[in-house]
Amino acid sequence: MNLRFTKMQGAGNDFVVLDATAAPLALTTAQLRRLGDRRFGVGCDQILVIERSERADVDFRYRIFNGASGEEVEHCGNGARCFVRYVAEKGLSDKRSIKVETVNALLELQLREDGRVRVDMGAPVFELARVPFDGTGLSPRIENGFELWPLEGLAQAEFAVLSMGNPHAVQRVAEVDTHPVAEQGPLIEAHRRFPRKVNAGFLQIVSRREVKLRVFERDAGETLACGTGACAAVVAGIRLGLLDEAVEVHTRGGDLRIEWAGLSQGLDAPVLMTGPAQTVFEGEITL
Ligand SMILES: N[C@H](CCC[C@H](N)C(=O)O)C(=O)O
């Protein structure tokens, strides 16, 4: 099969974008992993497949697959921004704001005048069973009314546990640049308390409006940026009383702006993310 693709990146998180708006595309897990492979394929953190939605009030459906595993996942923040950029560049819609359905969410995405993309990432989910997280027998520490959980085998840390459609465990660290992310990341990602594994966030608070973040992503390892991870980390920081409602997040691949009014408007307030999204090259691969 000859497959045309568009390679894109959002703050260094990189994607292979496949356009299935004209004809359906069904790839096997092996083909998805080949696309994601940085030696034997194109190479990317995630693969995004864009389809027309069957729902009258929704413009598109977009599916996300982790490149290393070929597994479908629920949400991808940097991917959502690249999706909007792709739709605009390919003229797939003349709207400035488009409605997009994912496997478990309905998103409103906007392309701004300054070329950055603003995404309504939906509301965070704190119900542990929906993360999912099994806290049975554990005693969380409560800070500012928000639970911080211990994890067996990671005694030196405590975690904010929440979902942005995909699962996140966020810990506060003194200095992200020197923190042992490569050692701790896999232990958190595969921890038995997360039945569907988890994205592991490492958050350094610089001020109430500025943070530094590294994320060891589920089924991807450390990426240069994680959009849903940035949302989860800022929401956790706000709930802990450490951050204001609008925060600049410095990741290794670039800067994201995250806004959440959850304390003033209610915890079901949407998380808004603004950041870069660029096309790197177009290509064709024979699978
Ligand atoms: N690895 C993530 C999916 C991609 C998330 C990340 N790339 C983002 O920008 O949100 C997971 O398995 O939940």
Side-chain angles (χ1 to χ4, degrees), residues 72-92:
E72 185 162 10
V73 293
E74 310 88 344
H75 208 343
C76 178
N78 292 317
R81 296 198 317 277
C82 287
F83 165 85
V84 175
R85 164 77 61 215
Y86 180 86
V87 166
E89 286 181 351
K90 297 294 183 184
L92 294 179

Side-chain angles (χ1 to χ4, degrees), residues 13 46 66 73 75-79 166 199 217-218 226-228:
N13 192 191
Q46 281 87 33
N66 277 319
V73 293
H75 208 343
C76 178
N78 292 317
N166 57 348
N199 296 283
E217 283 196 28
R218 176 177 62 171
C226 177
T228 51

Side-chain angles (χ1 to χ4, degrees), residues 4 24 55 61 218 226 235 258:
R4 293 201 55 72
R55 290 172 51 178
R61 177 163 177 255
R218 176 177 62 171
C226 177
V235 165
I258 308 294

Side-chain angles (χ1 to χ4, degrees), residues 175-198:
E175 176 55 63
V176 281
D177 293 333
T178 55
H179 195 84
V181 170
E183 292 76 22
Q184 275 192 16
L187 300 177
I188 303 164
E189 178 202 13
H191 198 279
R192 66 182 183 82
R193 296 282 181 174
F194 294 94
R196 291 174 51 82
K197 301 195 282 186
V198 71

Side-chain angles (χ1 to χ4, degrees), residues 211-279:
V211 302
K212 293 174 75 173
L213 179 71
R214 292 172 68 182
V215 181
F216 189 95
E217 283 196 28
R218 176 177 62 171
D219 284 349
E222 181 175 6
T223 56
L224 291 180
C226 177
T228 51
C231 295
V234 168
V235 165
I238 291 171
R239 287 211 61 185
L240 290 168
L242 302 171
L243 296 175
D244 289 345
E245 291 186 348
V247 177
E248 279 303 303
V249 180
H250 301 304
T251 76
R252 292 189 150 185
D255 295 340
L256 302 174
R257 179 176 172 77
I258 308 294
E259 299 165 84
W260 186 57
L263 297 193
S264 55
Q265 293 178 9
L267 298 183
D268 60 353
V271 183
L272 304 178
M273 172 175 64
T274 305
Q278 274 139 14
T279 293

Side-chain angles (χ1 to χ4, degrees), residues 1-284:
M1 164 204 278
N2 276 348
L3 189 63
R4 293 201 55 72
F5 65 86
T6 300
K7 186 74 180 1
M8 300 188 77
Q9 63 86 14
N13 192 191
D14 67 338
F15 308 99
V16 167
V17 181
L18 303 175
D19 187 337
T21 55
L25 194 56
L27 297 176
T28 65
T29 301
Q31 288 174 320
L32 289 162
R33 291 175 66 170
R34 170 84 188 286
L35 280 174
D37 191 304
R38 296 189 187 282
R39 296 287 184 280
F40 296 98
V42 178
C44 63
D45 293 325
Q46 281 87 33
I47 294 131
L48 311 180
V49 179
I50 299 173
E51 302 165 340
R52 294 282 179 193
S53 173
E54 277 124 38
R55 290 172 51 178
D57 60 336
V58 177
D59 302 293
F60 297 96
R61 177 163 177 255
Y62 110 106
R63 304 178 69 189
I64 307 134
F65 302 85
N66 277 319
S69 65
E71 296 291 319
E72 185 162 10
V73 293
E74 310 88 344
H75 208 343
C76 178
N78 292 317
R81 296 198 317 277
C82 287
F83 165 85
V84 175
R85 164 77 61 215
Y86 180 86
V87 166
E89 286 181 351
K90 297 294 183 184
L92 294 179
S93 172
D94 55 5
K95 297 180 183 175
R96 298 299 289 179
S97 176
I98 51 176
K99 281 213 171 75
V100 182
E101 59 178 330
T102 69
V103 68
N104 67 352
L106 185 60
L107 307 175
E108 182 95 29
L109 313 179
Q110 292 163 354
L111 181 59
R112 297 160 67 86
E113 298 305 330
D114 66 1
R116 280 165 53 99
V117 180
R118 179 183 169 110
V119 176
D120 174 339
M121 293 287 288
V125 171
F126 300 103
E127 189 187 332
L128 298 177
R130 290 176 58 199
V131 175
F133 172 70
D134 174 11
T136 310
L138 295 178
S139 303
R141 185 171 69 81
I142 308 295
E143 183 173 320
N144 204 48
F146 190 39
E147 295 167 340
L148 288 170
W149 291 87
L151 287 178
E152 295 91 340
L154 289 146
Q156 72 282 13
E158 55 185 12
F159 299 85
V161 174
L162 66 160
S163 170
M164 284 303 303
N166 57 348
H168 289 272
V170 184
Q171 69 174 291
R172 185 180 178 185
V173 300
E175 176 55 63
V176 281
D177 293 333
T178 55
H179 195 84
V181 170
E183 292 76 22
Q184 275 192 16
L187 300 177
I188 303 164
E189 178 202 13
H191 198 279
R192 66 182 183 82
R193 296 282 181 174
F194 294 94
R196 291 174 51 82
K197 301 195 282 186
V198 71
N199 296 283
F202 301 84
L203 172 65
Q204 176 183 340
I205 307 275
V206 175
S207 75
R208 291 190 60 84
R209 293 170 177 266
E210 191 178 358
V211 302
K212 293 174 75 173
L213 179 71
R214 292 172 68 182
V215 181
F216 189 95
E217 283 196 28
R218 176 177 62 171
D219 284 349
E222 181 175 6
T223 56
L224 291 180
C226 177
T228 51
C231 295
V234 168
V235 165
I238 291 171
R239 287 211 61 185
L240 290 168
L242 302 171
L243 296 175
D244 289 345
E245 291 186 348
V247 177
E248 279 303 303
V249 180
H250 301 304
T251 76
R252 292 189 150 185
D255 295 340
L256 302 174
R257 179 176 172 77
I258 308 294
E259 299 165 84
W260 186 57
L263 297 193
S264 55
Q265 293 178 9
L267 298 183
D268 60 353
V271 183
L272 304 178
M273 172 175 64
T274 305
Q278 274 139 14
T279 293
V280 181
F281 63 88
E282 308 268 355
E284 185 169 297

